[in-house]
Amino acid sequence: MATLCLGVAIGAGNLIAAAHHGEATRWTTQLTVAPHVAPEAGLPEENPRVRPDGVIVTGFVERVGDPVPIAGPGGQSYAAEQLTIDAVKSLIRSQLSGIETPPTLVVACPAYWSDAARDQFASAASAARLPQPFRIETDLSMAFARLRQLPDAPRAGLMALADLGATGTTVAIGDAATGQIVSDRIRLDEANGTDLDHAVLQHILGQVADPADLTASDPNLLAALEKMRIAARAAKERLSADPVTSVAVDLPTYRGDIRVTRAELDDLAHEQIAGIVVGLRELIDRGGADDRDVAAVALCGGGAAMPIVTQRLSAEFHTAVLVDAEPYATAARGAAGVASTLTPHRTRTVVPPLADTPPQFAAVIPDPRSGSPSQTPPAGVPPAGAAATSRWQVPAKKVGSDDDRPAGTSEHGADAVTFGPRAEPQADQPPSRVRLFALLAAGAVALLVAAGGVAYALTGDNRTEAPAPGTSVTQFSTTESTPTVEETTQDTPTQQEVPDQGGNTPEETAPTEPSVTEPSVTPSGTPEPSPPPVDGGGPVVTPPPAS
C-alpha cells in the first residue's frame, strides 16, 4: 500500500491540507472544543465532525509563542501551540479516510513566527506524537519550492517572493538556482486580507445604510453583520475570476442584492499593493541589486489570486509573475512535495540469471554489489552548485565529485570479461603425425583381426556435420554439448582424453581442429564406422595388411 505524503499549511485565516498529487482541503482557522470528543477545526459546513455545542476558539495561530494562555468563556485556559496542534490533527484525520498506514507529514508554519514560537510548536508536536517521519518548515520556503517546479519558472537569478495572507504579507528574496531564501523576511501588517474584506464590507454598507444607524448594540444586527462579513469575503474571491458579482444584504433597514465590480475591488486594494512593492524594493536595495536582477516575482496566499496584484507587480518590476493555480494551497502543496522525498524508497532486488540461460557477452553488466553510477539531474533542473546571477551573497554549496572511485576501476564498478585469442582453422592443412599414428594403430588392430580368419573392410558411408569450434565429439556421446560459462571464458580449451577399448589414451589433437576419435573394435567383433575427415573428403578405407 502506498504511503500518503501530506502537507499541512498553518495560516491565521485558513488551514490547508494537500496530498501529493491530490486535492487540497481548506478550512477556516477555527477550533471547536467539546467535551468527550477530540477538538475539530473548521466551520460546521466545512467539517461535519464539528459539534454545535462546543466552545469556539479563534486567533490561536498568532498567539503561538505567547506565554499567556488563551482564556475560554467557561474559565478554561488553552495554550496556543496546543490548540494549533489539535487543528493539525483534525486536518490529518480528514485526509486519512479509508487509509490505515500513517502518512508522511510536513507542516508549513508561518514564516513570521519567532524562533521561540517555532521551538514551542516543535516541542508540542513531539509530545503529541504526530505521524513519523515528520518535519516542520516555513510556509514561505515551501511555497518557493512549489513555485520553482512550475514550467515557466526561471533557473537562475533572483525571485521576489510575496505571501499575501489574512493578517499580513511576508516578502523575501530567493535564489532561483539554489532554491534558498537569501534575504531577510519582512512582515507587512498593513497589506492583509482581513482589512480588504472589511473594506469590501464598508463599501457595500455605504450603499444601503448610514453608518450611524449601524452602531446600535442589537444582537440581531451583530449577527447580520457577521454574515455580511463572510459574504463580502466570498465576493472578493469570486471577483478574482468574474468581473462582477452580487452580495445579498439582510439588514433591519435594507434587504436586497448589491452589485460589486472588479474595478471597485481594485481601487480598494490599491494602497495594499503599493505597500508590497515598497517592501520588495527595500529588500532588493539591501542586497545591492536592482530590478534587472529580478528574474521573476512569485506570489502565494489567498490574495495572490487577484488579477490586479499580478498586473501591478509585473508592471513595477518589468518581469513575469508566477502564480499557482490555487494560490491559497501553494505552501501546502510544496510541503506535500517535500514529504514525498521523505518516504523511504524500496530497493529493487536484482535476480541473477538461471543456470541454463545462455550467457550474454554483448555488454559488460555491472556488479549489483558495487556502487551505482552517478545519476544525471532531470532535464530542466539546474545543478546543485549553480551560482546566482546577482550580487547577493548566496551561501556556497559544497558539491562532491561524481566520480570518487580509484583509478583503474571500471566505470560501473565491475571488471570486464576478457577472452583469449581464438585460432582460426587453416585450409588444406596436411595430416599431422598424430593422425598418422592413429591410422597405423588402426591397421595393427585390423592385422590382428585378419590373423583370426576374419577380414575387415572399413568404409564410411554416412557423413557427419563438422562440430562447432569449442565442442568435442566422442564415441560415447553423439550429441553436441552446450558450452558452459566456465568452459567458454578459459583462455585455452581443455581437450578431453577418451580411452579406447584397450585402455590406451590417444594423444591430444591439434588445438586448431576439432578432435575426432578413430573407430575401435567393439566386443561383438563388428567395427564401428569412422567419421569422415574435417576437410569433407570421401570415406576412409584401411587396406588389409600384406600377407
Side-chain angles (χ1 to χ4, degrees):
M1 182 181 295
T3 303
L4 176 64
C5 301
L6 187 63
V8 174
I10 305 171
N14 294 294
L15 301 170
I16 302 100
H20 189 48
H21 300 306
E23 298 294 333
T25 300
R26 179 173 61 169
W27 288 351
T28 304
T29 306
Q30 173 179 303
L31 195 67
T32 301
V33 181
H36 310 297
V37 294
E40 294 293 341
L43 300 175
E45 55 268 22
E46 297 169 344
N47 184 4
R49 294 189 300 269
V50 173
R51 294 279 298 272
D53 56 344
V55 177
I56 299 177
V57 184
T58 59
F60 49 86
V61 173
E62 302 96 310
R63 294 281 302 276
V64 173
D66 191 347
V68 179
I70 298 176
Q76 307 92 342
S77 61
Y78 307 97
E81 57 272 9
Q82 185 58 48
L83 293 175
T84 307
I85 292 295
D86 292 337
V88 171
K89 286 183 176 181
S90 179
L91 275 174
I92 296 175
R93 287 193 296 269
S94 68
Q95 299 292 321
L96 294 181
S97 177
I99 300 178
E100 298 179 357
T101 58
T104 302
L105 180 64
V106 173
V107 176
C109 64
Y112 59 84
W113 275 3
S114 62
D115 294 339
R118 197 174 307 167
D119 293 341
Q120 289 187 12
F121 178 77
S123 300
S126 300
R129 298 180 180 180
L130 292 178
Q132 298 294 331
F134 167 67
R135 179 182 292 182
I136 300 176
E137 300 288 346
T138 62
D139 53 1
L140 198 62
S141 61
M142 293 296 94
F144 188 27
R146 168 70 177 178
L147 293 170
R148 288 182 68 241
Q149 301 299 323
L150 297 181
D152 50 351
R155 301 303 178 188
L158 299 179
M159 290 180 63
L161 308 175
D163 182 6
L164 287 73
T167 59
T169 298
T170 305
V171 295
I173 303 296
D175 188 353
T178 62
Q180 299 177 355
I181 296 179
V182 295
S183 71
D184 298 331
R185 299 173 179 87
I186 296 181
R187 180 68 172 176
L188 306 174
D189 295 332
E190 295 79 11
N192 60 77
T194 302
D195 288 350
L196 187 57
D197 296 342
H198 184 70
V200 174
L201 177 59
Q202 293 291 336
H203 174 73
I204 297 173
L205 293 177
Q207 303 181 40
V208 299
D210 187 358
D213 299 335
L214 301 177
T215 57
S217 59
D218 185 0
N220 297 328
L221 179 60
L222 294 178
L225 291 176
E226 179 63 22
K227 291 182 180 179
M228 284 195 59
R229 185 188 65 82
I230 298 176
R233 176 184 177 184
K236 180 194 69 175
E237 295 178 354
R238 289 195 302 270
L239 288 175
S240 299
D242 302 330
V244 62
T245 187
S246 61
V247 179
V249 178
D250 187 5
L251 295 175
T253 58
Y254 181 85
R255 291 182 181 180
D257 294 337
I258 298 299
R259 183 173 177 268
V260 183
T261 64
R262 182 185 295 175
E264 296 172 343
L265 177 63
D266 295 345
D267 293 339
L268 297 175
H270 175 77
E271 295 183 2
Q272 293 194 6
I273 300 174
I276 297 174
V277 174
V278 172
L280 290 175
R281 290 196 183 280
E282 179 180 350
L283 286 176
I284 295 174
D285 294 340
R286 288 183 185 180
D290 52 30
D291 293 352
R292 293 173 298 179
D293 296 321
V294 178
V297 178
L299 304 178
C300 63
M306 299 173 56
I308 187 60
V309 178
T310 303
Q311 298 171 6
R312 285 284 303 276
L313 293 179
S314 178
E316 289 288 340
F317 295 97
H318 304 283
T319 186
V321 177
L322 302 178
V323 182
D324 205 356
E326 296 176 337
Y328 68 87
T330 301
R333 294 193 182 279
V338 174
S340 65
T341 63
L342 304 180
T343 304
H345 299 281
R346 296 182 179 178
T347 306
R348 186 180 63 179
T349 304
V350 180
V351 181
L354 300 177
D356 56 351
T357 303
Q360 302 292 334
F361 301 114
V364 179
I365 302 176
D367 188 359
R369 295 170 298 179
S370 62
S372 59
S374 59
Q375 301 291 335
T376 304
V381 178
T389 59
S390 67
R391 291 187 291 273
W392 285 81
Q393 297 297 326
V394 182
K397 187 175 183 179
K398 297 182 180 180
V399 180
S401 175
D402 292 335
D403 193 359
D404 297 334
R405 59 181 180 271
T409 308
S410 175
E411 179 182 0
H412 299 285
D415 297 330
V417 181
T418 59
F419 301 91
R422 178 182 296 180
E424 299 293 338
Q426 300 179 3
D428 301 334
Q429 183 178 2
S432 62
R433 295 182 179 181
V434 178
R435 179 175 296 181
L436 181 60
F437 176 78
L439 294 175
L440 293 177
V445 172
L447 180 60
L448 293 177
V449 174
V454 181
Y456 295 95
L458 302 178
T459 58
D461 295 335
N462 55 342
R463 298 176 182 269
T464 307
E465 294 293 336
T471 16
S472 60
V473 180
T474 65
Q475 64 178 357
F476 301 103
S477 175
T478 58
T479 59
E480 296 181 0
S481 60
T482 305
T484 61
V485 179
E486 290 78 13
E487 294 174 354
T488 312
T489 54
Q490 293 178 358
D491 294 339
T492 304
T494 303
Q495 301 294 334
Q496 300 181 358
E497 297 182 359
V498 180
D500 57 6
Q501 298 295 334
N504 298 326
T505 303
E507 296 185 12
E508 298 178 356
T509 58
T512 59
E513 295 182 2
S515 61
V516 179
T517 305
E518 295 297 332
S520 60
V521 179
T522 60
S524 61
T526 303
E528 297 182 354
S530 172
V534 178
D535 55 3
V540 179
V541 179
T542 303
S547 57

